[in-house]
Amino acid sequence: MLRQLGIGSGTFIMLMVAGYFVIKWAVRAALREVYYEVKGEKSPEELMVEEMMADDEEKRREAREAHELRRQEKIAARLQKKQEKEQA
């Protein structure tokens, strides 16, 4: 049967092993999800993601503030140069 499909026995074994681990991972993930839904609490993965998102939001806020400061400094420098040119 495998020869008709053009698949060697080694390839078939590797596909079966990979399929086993993919199905095992999917079943575990589904069981964890159901467990935490039934218990009514957040999973450790969800808590970790929420923490990372909060950290990311803090970094984004800091970056926005720093960008706004640089922008204001550039505007002030341009205005100063313009005033110096007008005085000269």
Side-chain angles (χ1 to χ4, degrees):
M1 181 176 94
L2 294 176
R3 288 181 192 235
Q4 292 173 349
L5 295 173
I7 299 174
S9 59
T11 304
F12 178 74
I13 291 172
M14 292 303 292
L15 288 173
M16 294 303 292
V17 169
Y20 167 78
F21 285 110
V22 167
I23 292 170
K24 180 180 172 182
W25 170 79
V27 169
R28 273 191 179 173
L31 288 175
R32 282 187 191 132
E33 187 175 326
V34 169
Y35 175 77
Y36 285 107
E37 282 181 13
V38 168
K39 283 184 75 178
E41 57 187 46
K42 295 182 180 181
S43 68
E45 291 86 11
E46 288 176 344
L47 294 173
M48 182 179 65
V49 167
E50 287 179 357
E51 182 181 332
M52 288 185 339
M53 289 176 64
D55 290 345
D56 188 51
E57 181 59 34
E58 178 68 22
K59 289 177 185 175
R60 286 175 186 248
R61 185 186 58 75
E62 290 173 359
R64 275 194 304 268
E65 290 173 356
H67 175 72
E68 186 62 29
L69 284 173
R70 285 192 307 269
R71 185 174 162 268
Q72 293 297 330
E73 289 172 358
K74 285 181 180 180
I75 290 171
R78 287 182 191 152
L79 287 174
Q80 186 178 9
K81 285 182 183 180
K82 185 177 180 181
Q83 288 174 355
E84 289 174 359
K85 278 186 177 181
E86 289 175 356
Q87 289 176 358

